């Protein structure tokens, strides 16, 4: 079997937002939105990035595209560190790296027709005439299930699902290799979600696309992605293939997330793992393991030392002291096990 080619390699990516105060607006603190994360995406792969709202998923996606300036780290696309590229070189790189935004209405210019919006990328990156751009926009719209006459309409004339299809067509217009899908179906009805996901899969096959799929809906990610990374408070706490992650989640946070997935059987009851407390502020994250303030099986070492992010076999990475300090922590986290750990009976 041929070795897979790494298209995108993210190394120690950091994005902090400064907090300023006082008359001189000095920096007094840093919001640690993304704090030293590393992963790679193979060519033709759908890589999922999941976690609660505010964990840094969307910030990571926008930072690796250089839509927002990075604080530290490297992002290599096809072997080139895009953070080192000059403006002229970055313009060509942007043609290969596109994004589908979460809010399809806010991402479209209300004063531009749909044909103009889709053709805008072609205007910047090619020498096509206005008529050629319009003809190409029609082709893209028909490819995502819309009609040619839609090019003359404005964003407010479409439904949410139609606007998201327009966003997909706009991202495809410049023939990219890599697309960041920033929660592309979270604002859509369930039936429309299935249609949009089907379109994305078909386009991936037809155009040999590579996706970074950002979401918080685990059911969608299980259906769509090949490998998945789980983020919590700016850190990746677990990463594995889809099959391995859903059959054998190692990290307590991942296991708690898995327990919230509804079972499509009204006769089967599922016990949820309820996490107590709120997510800490990224302005002042906890020491040690960032999940320890909500983890039901945390012990003293978790509060002091940050666990290593290690491969525990077959590319299944996790960062948890329970796994590191003895195989007992790798067993499934259940309400019964939580009670045993808290009572000291294990």
């Amino acid at each position: 079997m041929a070795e897979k080619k790494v298209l995108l390699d993210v190394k120690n990516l950091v994005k902090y937002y400064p907090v300023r105060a006082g008359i001189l607006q000095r920096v007094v603190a840093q919001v640690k939105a993304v704090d030293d994360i590393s992963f790679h995406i193979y060519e033709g792969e759908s890589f999922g990035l999941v976690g609660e709202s505010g964990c840094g998923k969307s910030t990571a996606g926008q930072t690796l595209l250089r839509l927002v300036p990075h604080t530290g780290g490297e992002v290599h696309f096809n072997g080139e560190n895009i953070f080192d590229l000059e403006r002229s070189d970055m313009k060509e790189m942007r043609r290969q790296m596109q994004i589908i935004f979460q809010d399809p209405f806010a991402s479209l210019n209300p004063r531009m027709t749909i044909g103009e919006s889709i053709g805008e990328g072609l205007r910047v990156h090619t020498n096509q005439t206005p008529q050629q751009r319009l003809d190409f926009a029609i082709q893209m719209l028909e490819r995502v299930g819309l009609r040619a006459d839609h090019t003359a309409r404005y964003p407010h004339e479409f439904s949410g699902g139609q606007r998201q299809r327009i966003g997909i067509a706009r991202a495809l217009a410049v023939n990219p290799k890599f697309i960041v899908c920033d929660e592309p179906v979270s604002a859509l009805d369930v039936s429309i979600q299935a249609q949009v996901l089907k379109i994305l899969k078909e386009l991936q096959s037809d155009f040999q696309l590579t996706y970074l799929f950002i979401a918080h809906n685990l059911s969608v990610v299980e259906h769509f992605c090949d490998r998945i990374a789980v983020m919590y408070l700016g850190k990746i706490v677990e990463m594995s293939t889809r099959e391995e992650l859903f059959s054998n989640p190692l990290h307590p946070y991942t296991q708690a997330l898995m327990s919230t997935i509804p079972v499509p059987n009204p006769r089967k009851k599922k016990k949820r793992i309820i996490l107590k407390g709120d997510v800490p502020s990224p302005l002042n994250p906890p020491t040690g393991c960032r999940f320890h303030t909500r983890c039901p099986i945390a012990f003293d070492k978790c509060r002091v030392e940050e666990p290593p992010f290690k491969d525990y076999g077959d590319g299944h990475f996790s960062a948890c002291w329970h796994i590191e300090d003895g195989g007992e922590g790798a067993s499934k986290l259940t309400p019964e096990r939580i009670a045993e750990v808290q009572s000291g009976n294990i």
Side-chain angles (χ1 to χ4, degrees):
M1 181 180 289
E3 187 176 350
K4 294 180 180 178
K5 178 185 175 183
V6 174
L7 181 68
L8 186 83
D9 191 11
V10 179
K11 297 180 179 179
N12 309 111
L13 183 64
V14 177
K15 175 57 184 174
Y16 293 169
Y17 289 97
V19 178
R20 301 179 184 275
I23 298 175
L24 299 178
Q25 289 293 288
R26 291 195 176 101
V27 176
V28 296
Q30 299 277 1
V31 175
K32 299 179 179 180
V34 178
D35 196 7
D36 193 12
I37 66 171
S38 300
F39 60 90
H40 61 269
I41 303 177
Y42 296 113
E43 196 170 46
E45 182 182 37
S46 296
F47 185 89
L49 197 58
V50 303
E52 293 174 285
S53 295
C55 70
K57 309 183 299 295
S58 295
T59 301
Q62 293 175 19
T63 304
L64 64 86
L65 291 179
R66 272 183 66 171
L67 295 181
V68 294
H70 73 294
T71 304
E74 299 177 356
V75 174
H76 294 266
F77 183 82
N78 257 344
E80 287 188 272
N81 185 1
I82 68 168
F83 294 154
D84 290 340
L85 296 179
E86 299 296 333
R87 185 169 182 172
S88 58
D89 297 324
M90 193 60 206
K91 180 181 177 181
E92 176 56 32
M93 186 65 74
R94 290 202 185 284
R95 185 172 182 173
Q96 302 181 53
M97 306 171 73
Q98 289 291 304
I99 184 170
I100 300 169
F101 292 98
Q102 177 180 0
D103 186 346
F105 187 69
S107 65
L108 293 171
N109 189 331
R111 299 191 178 192
M112 293 175 69
T113 65
I114 298 309
E116 291 171 339
S117 289
I118 295 174
E120 183 71 4
L122 297 173
R123 186 186 66 79
V124 173
H125 291 285
T126 71
N127 295 321
Q128 292 183 5
T129 65
Q131 185 59 48
Q132 288 175 323
R133 296 198 295 268
L134 180 61
D135 292 342
F136 195 81
I138 291 173
Q139 293 179 32
M140 289 294 99
L141 282 179
E142 291 176 342
R143 189 63 188 80
V144 297
L146 297 177
R147 301 194 309 269
D149 62 290
H150 287 156
T151 55
R153 298 185 184 181
Y154 290 86
H156 71 273
E157 300 179 64
F158 296 91
S159 67
Q162 288 175 319
R163 285 195 289 261
Q164 196 59 285
R165 292 177 190 228
I166 293 166
I168 295 170
R170 183 178 59 178
L172 282 174
V174 292
N175 193 26
K177 293 181 179 179
F178 173 71
I179 299 179
V180 174
C181 304
D182 187 5
E183 304 203 35
V185 297
S186 63
L188 307 179
D189 294 336
V190 175
S191 59
I192 306 301
Q193 286 184 13
Q195 296 174 20
V196 172
L197 291 173
K198 183 173 182 291
I199 289 172
L200 287 172
K201 272 297 183 185
E202 290 173 351
L203 293 172
Q204 183 176 31
S205 175
D206 294 345
F207 293 94
Q208 288 77 51
L209 296 171
T210 302
Y211 291 139
L212 170 60
F213 192 87
I214 298 169
H216 59 260
N217 187 328
L218 289 170
S219 299
V220 170
V221 173
E222 183 180 13
H223 168 75
F224 191 84
C225 297
D226 303 307
R227 288 189 303 131
I228 301 165
V230 182
M231 281 191 74
Y232 181 81
L233 205 62
K235 292 277 192 180
I236 293 179
V237 297
E238 188 162 1
M239 181 169 63
S240 181
T241 62
R242 172 184 58 202
E243 296 81 4
E244 177 67 15
L245 189 75
F246 280 85
S247 64
N248 182 35
L250 297 181
H251 198 278
Y253 177 62
T254 308
Q255 294 173 12
L257 289 180
M258 297 294 183
S259 74
T260 66
I261 301 175
V263 178
N265 185 348
R267 293 186 177 87
K268 186 175 180 181
K269 293 185 177 181
K270 186 175 183 180
K271 291 185 177 180
R272 289 188 56 186
I273 299 170
I274 307 298
L275 298 177
K276 297 181 180 179
D278 298 323
V279 180
S281 169
L283 189 62
N284 185 26
T287 58
C289 174
R290 294 193 174 181
F291 185 58
H292 84 258
T293 58
R294 302 175 70 199
C295 181
I297 57 173
F299 59 105
D300 291 342
K301 192 172 185 179
C302 303
R303 301 178 181 90
V304 180
E305 295 183 48
E306 183 176 338
F309 189 65
K310 289 181 57 176
D311 186 349
Y312 290 95
D314 298 324
H316 194 155
F317 291 81
S318 188
C320 178
W321 281 122
H322 268 278
I323 309 170
E324 182 68 11
D325 284 0
E328 198 64 36
S331 62
K332 284 292 182 74
L333 184 65
T334 62
E336 293 78 16
R337 173 167 164 72
I338 292 172
E340 288 180 350
V341 172
Q342 292 176 337
S343 64
N345 292 332
I346 65 167

